Structure formats: structure tokens, C-alpha cells
Amino acid sequence: MTARPDDTDPLAPPALPLAGIRVAEWSRSLAGGYAGRMLCDAGARVVRVGDREASPALGSALGAYLHGGKVAEPGGLADVVALGADIVLLELPDAPDAAFLAGFGAAAVVVITPWGLSGPWAGAGRPSSELTIQAESGSLSLRGLPNRPPLMTGSSEGLWVTGAMAAAGAVAALQGGRAHRLVDAPLLDVTAYATNLFLDVGASVTGEAPEPPRARNRLNPSVEPAADGYVGFNLASAQNHEDFLVLVERPDWLADPQMTSHQGRYERYDEFTAAVRAWTRRHTVAEIVERASAFRIPCAPVHDGRTILDDPHTVARGFYQPNPSRPGFLEPAPPFLFDGARPRRGVESPPAVAPPPDAGQSRPREPEPSDDTLPFAGLRVLDLGTWWVGGYVGTALGALGADVVKVESTRRVDGSRFLGGLPATHDHWWECGAFYLGANSDKRSVTLDFSTPDGRALLERLIAGADALIENYAPRVLESAGLDWDAVHRINPRLVLHRMPAFGLSGPRRDMVGYAQTVEQFSGLCWRTGYPDADPHNPSGPADPMAAANSLFALSSALLTARRTGRGTLVESPLAEAALVMAGEQVITWTATGVLLDRRGNRDTVAAPQGVFPTAEPERWVALTVADDAQWRALADLAGRADWAADARLATADGRRDRADELEAGLAGWTAGQDRAELVDRLLAAGIPAGEVRDGRFVHDHPHLAARGLYRPVELPWAGTVPLPNLPVRAVSGGWDHRRRPPTLGEHNTEILGEELGLDEDRLAELTRATVIGTVPVGVA
């Protein structure tokens, strides 16, 4: 990569995009702590107000990671107001008084709560826990095994994603008008969005009915035992399915339609799994990954907090670094790079870069936006992103005011169009994919095959007029087209190029194929999700929205610099590193204490008992958490268990944890004959966090989420009226809600290539005949 003109000392820390920004943080969990961590890593001065007692994690190694580099100030909420910060992060147990929030003036204020700032549950004092929020979000309904209770994710993924989205929302809000600077970041909304795999969208498209309940199954294949550990697979395409059968030495199944589809393999689960494991157990993890990579099958070692430290890729990229303020343990590095440099903790960032003397193609510093201006109004973004990560970044930028132009090729459409929708026999089935519809609002669409000279020339013209270009291809794709950073920077020196490859732009795994499930396996997220007596289990999804939120944060920060200076930036935020951050507690704990964190099912290291229990109707589960001794006494009373209340050995969480099997069996017997909704109401009235395990296919009908408007009904050309999600973290004003339905393939070819670039009808027709542009995927009849 060519050095920037202001790079005079290669050993000096680079100027970070948020240098000079003042942040006040009031956090009580890793959600708020990680939001502040990101802002600090990008150069902001973060003052964390509070005391050690208010945040038990503060004295731990995890707390040292979350809060290192921040300025600690004792005090209460009133002291946060007095700081006069540019950005205010508030993590609160419930919605605060509106008058209190108004006291922050022109600051961008982001409020993290369990239920949000509006809706029937907001401000009602409803008790909650991470488990009960996962239950109410719908995500538990799709995770686990058919004959066992639904399963929570094991690494607090919902909290991490909320923190990342809150940080991104803060930087975006700072760039918009005052009317849109109060941002709502509810744990329930984020968890519903981040862990449901757009099941709700897919169910609406296909017309699924609530009965029967959807069966829980692990991916098949997924995490499989090898000769020396576990290895993970993710078959993302029809070619992957066929190649996998060859890989495991069962080419005879190629002619068997059941064995080349997900559904068919579930129908013959035992037979298929036995054959796969007979093969994987004969080979080492390294051998399997190497052989699978030769087929370009997404495959990775399943790491834990010890083995990930020796992975050649994390070593080569220097991802785990000593904590600068508390030596003795390693922590994840910032999961983003600016101009090829990763922010360095413990080193003061120089002042923000001033505009260059010779403006050239640079823009002048923009004035303070008017009150109703959206953060990215007036910016043009080229969206070459695919799947969930690329889709979310582009759709968020569109909701925030940018003109987002989605660029696909009829030869290589966004793969999300083919997932979770209608069969290929349906008219325009590629316009009905659940992942595509869920993550591509507020965009226009063009098709360009930029592997051809004509397509590349048109893309270069679009690049010349854009403010940002986002993409998450394998690194070789742009480079083979001659559109690496140096080339793009020559075309448009003020453009921000944001690259989001699976494993990054460097390192030995640079060219590996990877999706969310792949990096969940690689990072350790799988290692911590699962029943204690069973194999690791994919969390199924959260790596994508976490990477998307990290990416939106990094891009928003880079755009802040570009708008001030007129100078573009190369931003890199790998999918795998987002997952590594969420799994980071494993490495922190291992290197600080020598304890290897493992799977614990639905149990908790502090609260006891905690679990998911049956009710009167099949597959109608209830989740509950006993967070303290008072709640335990209330639960014993409610269950009519005087023996529990009188047992001194159960008076403490440690004692209850030692007898978890016994207590869970007793609770299951008590809950089994009860109406689910009535039971939850009784538990909540007793002050015990509880929730219904909602069906993820119909979470858009959730009484609280529906009242908050998380989903909006959208009339689509080929899929009918479908509830599509708004951004889960968004301005209270409503200004960040989506305004435009997802575009159909190439819907705006004439508008953009014809009216804006000046191509006449004959030229557009010629490009269509050559399949440089089009509106139907090549190969579709």
C-alpha cells in the first residue's frame, strides 16, 4: 500500500479519526463498556463515570480490557451531564426520564437499556437477564437439539453486538442534526435482529404457520470431531454440498438428492453424521482444513481460549496483545485498521489531521448540519457488499441519509438473494431471499460485470463520484480486477474504501473462504455454546451483525475524517476479528488465570439457578434467572417449596450451583403443567427475571417489538407484503427508520447508468446483450 503524504514517521502512532472527540460513559455491563472501548480505540477521550461497586467487572481482567485507556471519574449520573461531552453513552436498567436526557444539549446521546426508551415494557421496571432477553428475542427457539431444551449462546453475543451498534450509532449521530442525536439501543431489539437469521422474514415470504413449531437442529455438517480436536464446516452453496460428499469419500451420494440438501440430510441425520464422523476422526484438524480449502469449502479449526493463541493467522496479524495497563494477560486488539495500521492502545493519538494545504479535489470543511439533517445526507456510497455484513453496512448508511448504490453482477449476484426464500420454481425467486430482503433497504441497484472492460470502466466512473466504497469479497476479487487501494485512491483521492474480508487482507488464512458460521467455529464462539455434555454448537449468526456493526463504526469514523479533511482512507475490518472479540473473554481468562472457559448450556457463572423449562404445551418453554438470594427466596415461595427455603445449603448461589441438576429437575416438574404466559407474569410479579421463549419466525408479532416499530410492513414486487426490520439501534426521532424497500436486481440501471452517467438506450441495450448489465441472474431460465 502506498504511504500517505503525511506519513513522516513510520514508528509514530497514526492520527485516529476520533482524536479530539470527548466521550462520557456510564456503563454497567460489557455492552456499554465495549461501546466505550471502541470509541477509545478510534482516538476519542473517554471519561468513565462511576465506581467499582457499580460494575463488578471493573476489577477483573475483562474489566481491564473493556476500560483500559479510559479516564476514571467517581460520581453519579448528574456528573455525566456536567462533563459537557460530544458523545454520551448511558447504560441503564430501564428507560430514564425524558427531562434528564434533554439536559445533554447538543451531545449525541446513546442509551442502552433492556427494553428501549418506548413501548409497553419500557420504564415499567420489568426484571431481565441475558437469558430472558435471548428467550424473548426468539433466538432460543432455533438453537439446540430436538430432545433437549432450547439453548442460549455462550459468549454474551447480544451484549457485544449492542455495544458495537451503540458505538456506531454515536459516531453517526454526531455527524447529523440535533433532531436525530438521541439514539435508542435496546438489548431486546438488537438480540432479535442479530440472532434470528431473518427467520421472521423467511416465514412471512413462504407463508409458514405457527404450528407445528419449527424443529431445533444443529447445522449438518457443522462442528465435527477430528483425530486431534474439532473442525467446523459450513456448506454455503450447491457446489459446496457436492464437493463435501467427495471430500468425505462418499461420491456415491452425489446421485442421491437427499444427501445434497440440508433438509434431506436432516431426514437421514444418523446415517449422514455417522459417515461424516467416520471420515473426520481419521484425520487431523490441519489435514481436514487443508483438504477442504482445496475444494473451497468453508472450513476452520474449532478453537478455544488456549489454542487460538497458537493459530498461525492470529499470530501473523498480531491480534492478541498484552494489556497495556495491567500486564500479565492478553486481550483482543481493535478489530479494525485505518490505512493499514491497527490502533495501538496505551499510545496517545496525535491531533486529528488538518485539511491539506492544496485542497485539489478535497472538499471544504462542512458547516454544522441543520437540526433535521441526517448524518450522511449528501454522500454517495457504492455498495459492493454481499450477504449480511455487507448488506447491513449499506442499509444502515442508507437509513442514515446516504445515497447507496448496490452494485451486483448478473454473473455474480449477492448470495443472500438465494437464502431463506422461495424455491427456484417461483417467479423471480431471487428477489425473495430472506437475508437479502432483511438487510438491503434504502438502496438503489445497478448491475455491472466489472471483470469486463466495459463494466470496469463504468465502475470507475461511479468510483470517481463516490464518497465511499464498501465490499466484503475475498481479497483477490478487487485486486484481480485492478481495483486495489492504490488504484481506487488514484481515481478518487477523497474516497473511503472499506474492505471487510473474512480473515483480513494479510495473514496465512487471507484467502480462506469464510462465513459467519466459519468464523464462529474459528474464533471460539462455538466452543462456549452448547450443552456441557455435548459437542460445541454454532451460535448461528451473531458474527455477521457484530462484524457489520464494527464495520459501520469504523467507516463512520473514517467518513468523519474525510468530511473534515477531504482525504480518503483505507478501512479494514475482518469478519473473523469481530468474532474473536466476542470470544475474547476466553483468551483474557486463560492468560490471566489459567482457567479454560467451557460450555455451560443455559447456566450462568453468577446467577443460580438459571435455565429453560417446559410448560403445559409442547415446545412452549419459559426461561428464568435467579440473580440473587432474595429472588431465590421468592422463587421457593412461588413454587411452594418450603424445603428449598429452609435448606441453608441453598441460601447462596454457590450452594445452589452445586446442586444445579437437582434444582433444575425440581423446577421443570413445577413449570411443566402451567400456562406459559401466566407463569411468566407470576415470576415477574415476584421480581424474578423471566421470559417466554418466543418463536423466532414470528418475532415481528412480539407485543413489545411490534409496539416499538422494530418491523414495518413493506409491499414487495415478488414476495408480497413482508415485515422487514428497521435498524435495531436508531434515533428516537424516527429519522433513521427505513424509507425505501429493497431494490430488485438492476432496478436502477437506466436511472443511474443512463440518466446520471449519460448512456443512451442503444448503449444500455448493447451492454445488456453482452450481460455486462441486466436484471436477471445469468443461468436463470
Side-chain angles (χ1 to χ4, degrees):
M1 187 191 78
T2 302
R4 283 173 46 163
D6 55 324
D7 291 340
T8 55
D9 181 358
L11 299 179
L16 293 173
L18 300 187
I21 301 297
R22 302 161 301 162
V23 178
E25 174 190 325
W26 177 273
S27 62
R28 292 297 178 267
S29 81
L30 66 81
Y34 184 62
R37 167 79 281 147
M38 295 179 74
L39 291 161
C40 188
D41 285 339
R45 183 180 188 272
V46 180
V47 177
R48 184 175 182 273
V49 180
D51 53 43
R52 187 180 300 271
E53 287 70 30
S55 181
L58 183 62
S60 68
L62 178 61
Y65 158 67
L66 291 172
H67 303 308
K70 300 174 185 176
V71 178
E73 291 281 356
L77 272 173
D79 298 293
V80 179
V81 180
L83 287 176
D86 303 301
I87 291 173
V88 178
L89 293 174
L90 299 175
E91 186 177 12
L92 303 170
D94 210 338
D97 185 83
F100 168 71
L101 295 176
F104 290 101
V109 181
V110 182
V111 187
I112 300 172
T113 61
W115 315 117
L117 299 178
S118 65
W121 295 358
R126 185 185 181 96
S128 67
S129 69
E130 184 185 350
L131 173 65
T132 63
I133 287 173
Q134 287 196 28
E136 290 286 351
S137 77
S139 76
L140 261 67
S141 69
L142 62 94
R143 195 180 304 105
L145 299 176
N147 59 343
R148 305 190 70 169
L151 188 64
M152 72 183 298
T153 64
S155 297
S156 301
E157 286 88 341
L159 301 182
W160 288 107
V161 179
T162 301
M165 288 187 172
V171 177
L174 193 65
Q175 299 176 64
R178 292 183 61 168
H180 308 300
R181 287 189 181 172
L182 177 58
V183 179
D184 195 0
L187 294 172
L188 179 62
D189 295 45
V190 173
T191 306
Y193 179 87
T195 59
N196 275 331
L197 300 174
F198 297 111
L199 280 182
D200 46 351
V201 177
S204 295
V205 169
T206 59
E208 283 192 56
E211 299 295 339
R214 184 170 180 147
R216 290 182 304 283
N217 283 298
R218 74 180 192 106
L219 295 171
N220 191 26
S222 176
V223 176
E224 310 297 346
D228 58 346
Y230 286 99
V231 66
F233 298 98
N234 176 41
L235 307 187
S237 68
Q239 189 64 55
N240 287 160
H241 287 250
E242 295 177 2
D243 289 342
F244 182 78
L245 297 180
V246 177
L247 174 72
V248 298
E249 299 173 8
R250 291 303 305 263
D252 54 303
W253 278 344
L254 288 170
D256 186 334
Q258 277 191 306
M259 290 308 195
T260 54
S261 71
H262 284 297
Q263 184 58 41
R265 289 197 298 274
Y266 286 133
E267 292 168 0
R268 293 165 63 182
Y269 178 88
D270 291 341
E271 178 187 2
F272 181 83
T273 301
V276 170
R277 294 187 168 187
W279 184 84
T280 58
R281 286 191 172 107
R282 297 199 307 269
H283 302 281
T284 67
V285 170
E287 289 170 348
I288 294 170
V289 171
E290 181 178 5
R291 294 188 185 193
S293 297
F295 284 99
R296 296 197 65 76
I297 295 172
C299 178
V302 176
H303 282 304
D304 58 33
R306 174 178 52 196
T307 61
I308 190 65
L309 293 170
D310 297 323
D311 188 274
H313 190 74
T314 62
V315 172
R317 287 182 62 86
F319 187 71
Y320 294 106
Q321 303 176 353
N323 179 273
S325 60
R326 182 173 162 176
F329 73 89
L330 300 177
E331 65 184 20
F336 40 78
L337 295 83
F338 299 105
D339 286 326
R342 200 185 294 275
R344 291 157 56 188
R345 295 186 185 128
V347 179
E348 186 174 353
S349 174
V353 178
D358 180 9
Q361 297 185 51
S362 302
R363 291 178 172 175
R365 182 185 178 95
E366 298 190 357
E368 179 72 13
S370 61
D371 281 357
D372 199 39
T373 302
L374 291 173
F376 300 127
L379 298 186
R380 164 71 68 88
V381 177
L382 297 185
D383 177 4
L384 277 65
T386 62
W387 296 96
W388 198 351
V389 175
Y392 178 86
V393 176
T395 204
L397 293 169
L400 296 167
D403 174 19
V404 179
V405 178
K406 184 173 180 64
V407 181
E408 299 173 82
S409 163
T410 57
R411 296 184 181 277
R412 181 176 178 163
V413 302
D414 184 345
S416 69
R417 290 181 175 275
F418 303 149
L419 191 61
L422 295 170
T425 54
H426 190 279
D427 196 11
H428 283 74
W429 58 273
W430 61 89
E431 304 292 3
C432 302
F435 277 75
Y436 177 78
L437 296 175
N440 281 282
S441 295
D442 286 338
K443 302 178 183 181
R444 298 189 291 163
S445 170
V446 299
T447 49
L448 287 175
D449 184 354
F450 59 81
S451 68
T452 67
D454 285 337
R456 174 177 163 157
L458 289 170
L459 182 59
E460 288 185 357
R461 291 182 62 187
L462 291 173
I463 290 172
D467 298 279
L469 185 156
I470 62 176
E471 62 89 19
N472 61 327
Y473 297 135
R476 59 185 171 78
V477 174
L478 278 195
E479 292 161 10
S480 62
L483 291 171
D484 60 7
W485 166 243
D486 288 339
V488 169
H489 194 54
R490 281 194 297 270
I491 297 168
N492 184 349
R494 60 179 173 81
L495 179 132
V496 176
L497 172 61
H498 192 164
R499 306 196 65 183
M500 303 171 282
F503 288 92
L505 297 176
S506 64
R509 299 193 190 277
R510 172 187 188 271
D511 294 316
M512 277 182 54
V513 179
Y515 298 91
Q517 288 84 351
T518 314
V519 301
E520 289 168 5
Q521 294 156 355
F522 174 77
S523 65
L525 292 179
C526 278
W527 180 258
R528 290 217 68 195
T529 296
Y531 307 103
D533 58 347
D535 296 333
H537 199 99
N538 263 93
S540 295
D544 268 343
M546 178 65 171
N550 282 342
S551 297
L552 179 63
F553 169 80
L555 178 57
S556 298
S557 301
L559 286 170
L560 181 63
T561 295
R563 296 167 88 172
R564 287 172 167 174
T565 68
R567 180 179 294 140
T569 304
L570 171 63
V571 182
E572 177 188 349
S573 55
L575 172 64
E577 292 185 354
L580 290 168
V581 165
M582 288 194 288
E585 185 180 6
Q586 296 180 58
V587 167
I588 291 169
T589 302
W590 170 252
T591 56
T593 68
V595 173
L596 187 65
L597 299 179
D598 208 335
R599 295 173 292 289
R600 59 175 186 260
N602 292 320
R603 294 175 181 174
D604 186 68
T605 56
V606 177
Q610 173 175 278
V612 177
F613 303 99
T615 60
E617 295 182 76
E619 289 299 317
R620 297 293 187 268
W621 303 84
V622 62
L624 67 85
T625 298
V626 174
D628 57 38
D629 297 338
Q631 291 178 12
W632 167 247
R633 292 189 293 271
L635 179 62
D637 181 63
L638 193 63
R641 295 296 300 261
D643 55 325
W644 285 354
D647 191 334
R649 293 170 298 174
L650 299 178
T652 66
D654 287 341
R656 296 191 293 274
R657 199 173 295 109
D658 290 341
R659 293 167 62 182
D661 289 344
E662 171 194 342
L663 295 179
E664 288 171 11
L667 286 170
W670 173 62
T671 64
Q674 303 194 49
D675 178 84
R676 180 175 65 173
E678 292 177 1
L679 176 58
V680 168
D681 287 344
R682 292 168 61 206
L683 288 163
L684 293 172
I688 300 164
E692 300 182 42
V693 177
R694 306 280 179 170
D695 188 333
R697 298 172 300 168
F698 303 99
V699 73
H700 52 269
D701 291 329
H702 188 288
H704 185 68
L705 296 177
R708 286 179 47 76
L710 178 61
Y711 294 85
R712 71 204 193 283
V714 179
E715 181 66 32
L716 299 167
W718 304 101
T721 300
V722 176
L724 298 182
N726 279 307
L727 298 184
V729 171
R730 59 196 191 277
V732 171
S733 66
W736 295 7
D737 290 359
H738 289 307
R739 296 170 294 280
R740 183 195 291 262
R741 64 164 173 77
T744 58
L745 184 67
E747 180 178 352
H748 303 95
N749 281 347
T750 300
E751 180 179 309
I752 294 173
L753 303 179
E755 297 172 16
E756 296 181 13
L757 295 191
L759 275 62
D760 61 24
E761 292 183 5
D762 290 342
R763 181 58 174 151
L764 291 173
E766 180 183 354
L767 292 171
T768 301
R769 287 192 296 271
T771 66
V772 174
I773 66 173
T775 56
V776 177
V778 170
V780 173

